[in-house]
Amino acid sequence: MKRILFKSGTLVDPGSGRVWQADLLVEEGRIKAIDSGMAAPRGTEVVNADGCLIFPGCVDVHVHLREPGFEYKETIATGVRAAVRGGFVAVAAMPNTRPVADSAAVVGYVRARGEEEGLARVFPVGALSRGSEGKEMAPLGEMRQAGAVAFSDDGRWLADAQLMRRVMEYARMLKAPVISHCEEPTLTKGGVMNEGITATVLGLRGMPAAAEEIAVARDIILAEFTGCHLHVAHISTAGAVRLVREAKSRGLKVTAEVTPHHFTLTEEAVQGYATCAKVNPPLRTRADVEALREALADGTIDIIATDHAPHAREEKEVEFDQAPFGISGLETAIALVFTELVHKGILNLPQAAAKLSLNPRRLLGLPGGVLAEGEPAELTLIDPEREEEVDPAAFASKGRNTPFAGWRLKGWPVGVVVRGKWIPVRPLPGEGLREI
Ligand SMILES: [Zn+2]
């Protein structure tokens, strides 16, 4: 495997909290050396990283790759390209495919297809219940053996408390987290957006914050009861944040993720019946967005994950009530983190790197996430000053469904190192200068 030398990058290590300028040498898929003024050994690929931040490789713990079964929305091939273009070296694939990933066969298929592509790594998430129908436990042990890194019925909440208890007991034995889509379904039946003034004005049926909070509360209680690691997916309300904060203060094994759309947008993005902003959980109020940002800053929210949910154009170009939920998020996430959180002083650089790399890896039990000699060399290079307009037509994802089209964002990924390869995705900051 070849050597790659990154010259004069700004290293951001969430492990130690350090930010410093240095050269970084990659060899045999590991960080061989970190030093200043390093000479390139013969046969080394040299990348001028001056002006770039070097993060440990970013990992998205929540994506929908749609394969098998919905290849017209996305495939594993297009999904891993979208991941790399978005600055992610690995993704966890949710099991709501057709068939559902509720067996070793489907889990193994998703994993193998990811390996075949040779780009971002794909880690399958197995279902909690057969068909994610909430009735019978799925075969967690055999899925774990086939490579499942976590378990989830994402898209649905496992409402049967006794079944959730048993699943959590089993997942704990298998040392895998349970990722819960927290939505009490009787309160959200028929709902298409957040319940509140905007829904009333638009005449749309709402989904109250209470539906999420009831589910989070029950799941925290069951996590305490069983000792299972509960990970709350796409947290979106101030009340849910309070519950997670309280659970953490008591030392429970509870973590949470937030999506870029939930920390950026409010329910008002739906005005004009904008189906591109129809998402589940729904976009909430300004007070909820403020609570999410505060929770990111104080560590209550551990992870930023996209809930990448690509859909075909014709599916979203229908009446609001009929449109599917979801946003194609992989290719705008890092730019939103920089524009909305880093440049606004809500997260410092090591915190941002922790929420995009170290903490996602800890959740999934993956090594890496720190910049130190001997560590796995998965890297994400980011130009924090680059400004670019979001152009869904340029997405590698098949899903162009985004409420951020035309937004001018600052801070974009320029390339990743994964599987020992340097994959550039945008010009390096030094490149323009060299042409002059
Ligand atoms: Zn979900």
Side-chain angles (χ1 to χ4, degrees):
M1 223 183 258
K2 66 178 178 191
R3 282 185 298 255
I4 316 161
L5 178 63
F6 293 92
K7 290 291 288 178
S8 307
T10 299
L11 277 55
V12 180
D13 177 32
S16 63
R18 277 181 75 204
V19 179
W20 75 109
Q21 198 174 39
D23 301 342
L24 184 152
L25 180 66
V26 173
E27 191 180 296
E28 312 260 330
R30 303 236 152 225
I31 298 173
K32 174 80 175 167
I34 295 174
D35 210 341
S36 51
M38 235 189 287
R42 191 188 296 271
T44 304
E45 180 180 6
V46 179
V47 178
N48 175 13
D50 199 2
C52 283
L53 302 171
I54 303 185
F55 276 27
C58 296
V59 176
D60 188 347
V61 303
H62 194 141
V63 306
H64 298 276
L65 295 181
R66 308 302 194 197
E67 183 181 345
F70 303 96
E71 287 84 354
Y72 67 96
K73 294 176 192 270
E74 190 82 291
T75 62
I76 290 169
T78 55
V80 295
R81 279 165 180 77
V84 164
R85 190 167 176 276
F88 293 96
V89 301
V91 297
M94 284 298 168
N96 61 338
T97 47
R98 190 171 57 206
V100 169
D102 63 357
S103 67
V106 182
V107 164
Y109 170 81
V110 170
R111 194 168 164 271
R113 281 289 300 115
E115 284 302 300
E116 272 168 38
E117 292 301 325
L119 290 167
R121 298 195 289 154
V122 176
F123 294 99
V125 175
L128 301 174
S129 64
R130 282 194 193 274
S132 287
E133 285 174 350
K135 295 187 185 118
E136 268 180 87
M137 197 190 316
L140 306 192
E142 71 170 58
M143 289 191 285
R144 185 82 169 122
Q145 283 211 313
V149 290
F151 299 103
S152 181
D153 273 354
D154 186 53
R156 292 177 186 168
W157 186 55
L158 213 181
D160 182 326
Q162 170 64 3
L163 182 56
M164 185 62 149
R165 173 196 177 172
R166 285 176 46 228
V167 162
M168 282 185 149
E169 285 169 347
Y170 215 68
R172 194 197 70 157
M173 286 195 316
L174 296 168
K175 297 184 170 43
V178 165
I179 302 175
S180 186
H181 169 114
C182 291
E183 176 188 351
E184 199 292 316
T186 65
L187 282 170
T188 59
K189 195 158 186 239
V192 293
M193 69 170 295
N194 184 48
E195 182 172 313
I197 183 71
T198 309
T200 305
V201 169
L202 293 174
L204 294 172
R205 194 182 297 217
M207 305 160 87
E212 178 168 329
E213 291 154 11
I214 286 168
V216 170
R218 188 211 68 178
D219 286 349
I220 288 172
I221 291 165
L222 286 178
E224 181 168 20
F225 187 34
T226 61
C228 177
H229 178 169
L230 167 70
H231 179 70
V232 178
H234 43 52
I235 195 166
S236 74
T237 78
V241 162
R242 271 198 304 276
L243 291 162
V244 170
R245 187 177 286 129
E246 192 273 344
K248 285 189 159 192
S249 76
R250 292 191 295 116
L252 301 186
K253 241 190 274 175
V254 174
T255 52
E257 76 193 26
V258 65
T259 71
H261 47 271
H262 286 111
F263 68 62
T264 302
L265 300 171
T266 68
E267 60 182 9
E268 288 170 23
V270 169
Q271 278 170 352
Y273 304 94
T275 58
C276 63
K278 182 177 175 182
V279 67
N280 186 15
L283 301 170
R284 305 286 188 181
T285 67
R286 176 56 53 194
D288 294 305
V289 171
E290 292 307 321
L292 295 171
R293 291 177 174 218
E294 198 183 314
L296 277 162
D298 74 14
T300 302
I301 296 176
D302 310 84
I303 290 173
I304 295 165
T306 64
D307 192 8
H308 177 72
H311 291 292
R313 199 178 67 184
E314 59 274 17
E315 291 177 298
K316 278 284 199 181
E317 285 181 355
V318 295
E319 259 185 71
F320 196 87
D321 277 333
Q322 261 65 59
F325 293 103
I327 289 172
S328 181
L330 276 168
E331 290 167 83
T332 50
I334 286 180
L336 286 164
V337 169
F338 271 78
T339 306
E340 295 293 325
L341 304 177
V342 175
H343 291 311
K344 291 184 178 174
I346 292 161
L347 295 183
N348 63 31
L349 291 171
Q351 284 177 312
K355 288 172 207 297
L356 287 165
S357 178
L358 181 58
N359 297 343
R361 286 168 189 273
R362 283 185 177 156
L363 175 72
L364 305 179
L366 309 178
V370 292
L371 294 182
E373 289 172 6
E375 289 287 331
E378 291 191 339
L379 307 170
T380 298
L381 272 70
I382 297 162
D383 177 353
E385 301 303 320
R386 182 183 177 83
E387 291 189 42
E388 197 178 300
E389 206 168 275
V390 175
D391 176 13
F395 280 5
S397 171
K398 286 190 184 185
R400 276 74 200 275
N401 46 304
T402 173
F404 301 110
W407 282 41
R408 197 164 180 80
L409 303 178
K410 184 177 171 186
W412 288 85
V414 295
V416 297
V417 174
V418 62
R419 304 177 196 263
K421 283 181 301 208
W422 161 239
I423 309 174
V425 299
R426 282 185 183 76
L428 290 156
E431 279 179 10
L433 295 171
R434 214 179 297 153
E435 284 166 11
I436 293 167

